[in-house]
Amino acid sequence: MKPNTIPLLTPYKMGQFDLSHRVVLAPLTRQRSYGGMPQPHAALYYAQRATAGGFLISEGTRVSASEAPSSFADVPGIWAPEHVEAWRPVVDAVHGKGAVFFCQLWHVAGHAVRQQVSPQMSFDGRREELTSPRTVAAEDAPGVVDGFRRAARNAIDAGFDGVEILGANGYFVDDDDDGQGANGVESRCRFALEVVDAVAREVGGHRVGVRLDQFAATPDEHALALHVVCRLNDRGVLYCHMIEPRVDGRRRVSRRLLPFREAFGGTFIASGGYGREEGDAAVGEGYADLVAYGRLFLANPDLPRRFELGAPLNECDAATFYGAGAAAADPAVGYTDYPFFD
């Protein structure tokens, strides 16, 4: 790397995609898809954050109408033809800027068979109880897996370049009972890998990413997450996107993802607690290939440019993260009205 090079702004080849920089828009729930349909303002929101050769990941997008009612109202879906049609102009707007766009697939009611739904992660890294715990019956598992498969196909039909399966924040991995008294690592990973297999068969592993964390971060859970990451290699998954663990209740760049980075053979994306300096260090030292930014990208639609110029950053307004309050009256508030650096 040349002297004075900004590592985050160097090009990178992610499978078939030639990226011009390594600053990724992280998936961010915004609750502005009224009635579950992506709206015209979403096209502006994503296009504002798109750059030629940039990489964006959509907000979590529901894969099924059969999920239990969610505490997240007005999140988009991708299970029906009308969702495909509604997403197309949004995807076209991003592609018009020359960016790569993946759709994050999300089973709101809970990914794991027989596992209670865990609290969703808030923007600042605190855990919030957003739904009452419930379980997904074992006999429903094939339908959930097929829902992911069909949603992945719909995403590609809508024009997305690929999909990201949400397996972080307490979703995705089975508990320690498979109904037959087995509690080994392989048993606990079975449902997760069935979802990955179904999606990869449908759209190709070269268009599939998986987002994970370290689950409970106990030694056993750490080993479980590492096992999942290793098994992703067998399936030709394009990238592994992992969230930094919490330190003192908040996301911090602790470099604890290194074992997962070393275990995964494809593109590795790190997120959670990163600023420009931390992102530059992660890329420059080989800790991550790409770095995903949430709140900073939310408040700074031209984040890569600001990083390039060393420009000051807009402060984000937590009151408008989700589609309520002022955002309910005007969806542009805290969404498409953040200023660009001039």
Side-chain angles (χ1 to χ4, degrees), residues 101-117:
F101 199 15
F102 273 40
C103 180
Q104 189 189 73
L105 305 182
W106 180 25
H107 191 276
V108 178
H111 286 163
V113 185
R114 296 176 301 277
Q115 177 176 313
Q116 290 188 336
V117 176

Side-chain angles (χ1 to χ4, degrees), residues 44-132:
L44 176 59
Y45 169 77
Y46 284 109
Q48 285 178 334
R49 288 154 182 80
T51 53
F55 180 34
L56 285 67
I57 306 169
S58 83
E59 61 209 276
T61 304
R62 292 178 60 188
V63 303
S64 172
S66 63
E67 303 163 34
S70 171
S71 295
F72 277 130
D74 297 325
V75 297
I78 193 65
W79 71 81
E82 52 266 34
H83 295 127
V84 174
E85 293 303 317
W87 270 115
R88 279 182 177 147
V90 182
V91 177
D92 288 346
V94 172
H95 285 164
K97 300 289 286 291
V100 176
F101 199 15
F102 273 40
C103 180
Q104 189 189 73
L105 305 182
W106 180 25
H107 191 276
V108 178
H111 286 163
V113 185
R114 296 176 301 277
Q115 177 176 313
Q116 290 188 336
V117 176
S118 295
Q120 174 64 318
M121 191 64 59
S122 65
F123 279 92
D124 63 1
R126 294 177 293 109
R127 297 185 76 82
E128 297 178 351
E129 290 288 353
L130 298 175
T131 60
S132 299

